[in-house]
Amino acid sequence: MLEGAIGQVRSVSTFRYGGEATYIDPRPEWNKMTQQMRNWFYYNWLSGDFIVEQAVHSLDMMSWAMGDVMPISAMGTGGRQVRVDSKYGNIYDHFAIEFKYANGAIGTHFCRQQAGATPRNSVSMLGSEGAAEVIIGGKHTITGKMDWNYTGAKNNMYQTQHDELFAAIRSNKPINDGEWMTNSTLLAIWARMAGYTGQNLTFDQVINSKESLGPELSSYNWELNIDGPLIATPGKTKFS
């Protein structure tokens, strides 16, 4: 696809729709810090919210499809529709974000964690000469000037990841994906900021942000008593 099978990529849409995350009931011997650590994904000061903790993989694929070029701005929204109990901390249960690129291309990302709703994990790309679609765990197709449908054996991506890691260690040929990982994480944080605030945020604004969701690193300890930021409200929560 990156070799031009669909021409110039004009838009990429990614979906990460799934069910609820696990909740671990508190125990009498656990203090507040231990309880939050056991349910760390429900607290944005520990997880970054689920768009950073989980849906970042979809944004990573969006970035890959865009040739690993960073967008220039992002705007969107999010909220809590079913995750309303206080035991679920301060994270959202859905986001909808649009990224704009300097060449006019658009990247959209939708994610939710809502039990009973139809699941979806996909990347769809529209180019000047065709389209491509990746369904995670399903079909991989290209249509347009070069029709293609993957018919090979299914691959366990987690096993391949470990195979390549161990092979790199044994051959002393490190795999350095640091820049990709950093950029994808930035996309997820950027998306969260746009969703929390409801504002259109540029790359320069986000890269220079002073936002910190948690306490100073020097204050972390097992007796720490912190709730983290209040649940964000688009249009009211300020960007910092």
Side-chain angles (χ1 to χ4, degrees), residues 20-69:
E20 286 292 339
T22 301
Y23 177 79
I24 300 175
D25 290 320
R27 297 180 182 178
E29 66 270 24
W30 289 353
N31 63 11
K32 189 171 185 177
M33 181 62 172
T34 301
Q35 166 62 12
Q36 290 196 8
M37 288 292 290
R38 294 288 185 176
N39 289 287
W40 61 273
F41 30 77
Y42 289 122
Y43 298 91
N44 60 21
W45 71 276
L46 291 170
S47 69
D49 210 306
F50 84 99
I51 197 170
V52 178
E53 174 263 319
Q54 181 194 62
V56 63
H57 301 296
S58 297
L59 292 168
D60 183 61
M61 288 187 284
M62 181 190 78
S63 190
W64 165 80
M66 289 296 193
D68 293 309
V69 174

Side-chain angles (χ1 to χ4, degrees), residues 177-197:
D177 292 336
E179 185 173 355
W180 289 345
M181 291 187 295
T182 300
N183 285 342
S184 295
T185 303
L186 176 60
L187 285 174
I189 294 172
W190 191 349
R192 183 197 68 217
M193 289 177 166
Y196 275 9
T197 64

Side-chain angles (χ1 to χ4, degrees), residues 161-223:
Q161 182 183 42
H162 284 81
D163 290 345
E164 293 184 356
L165 172 63
F166 295 141
I169 294 171
R170 290 174 179 137
S171 64
N172 196 29
K173 295 180 180 178
I175 298 174
N176 185 357
D177 292 336
E179 185 173 355
W180 289 345
M181 291 187 295
T182 300
N183 285 342
S184 295
T185 303
L186 176 60
L187 285 174
I189 294 172
W190 191 349
R192 183 197 68 217
M193 289 177 166
Y196 275 9
T197 64
Q199 303 302 314
N200 184 54
L201 302 177
T202 67
F203 176 85
D204 287 341
Q205 284 178 296
V206 172
I207 202 68
N208 290 302
S209 170
K210 304 301 182 183
E211 180 181 74
S212 177
L213 300 179
E216 294 292 330
L217 290 177
S218 60
S219 68
Y220 278 72
N221 63 81
W222 284 108
E223 303 303 320

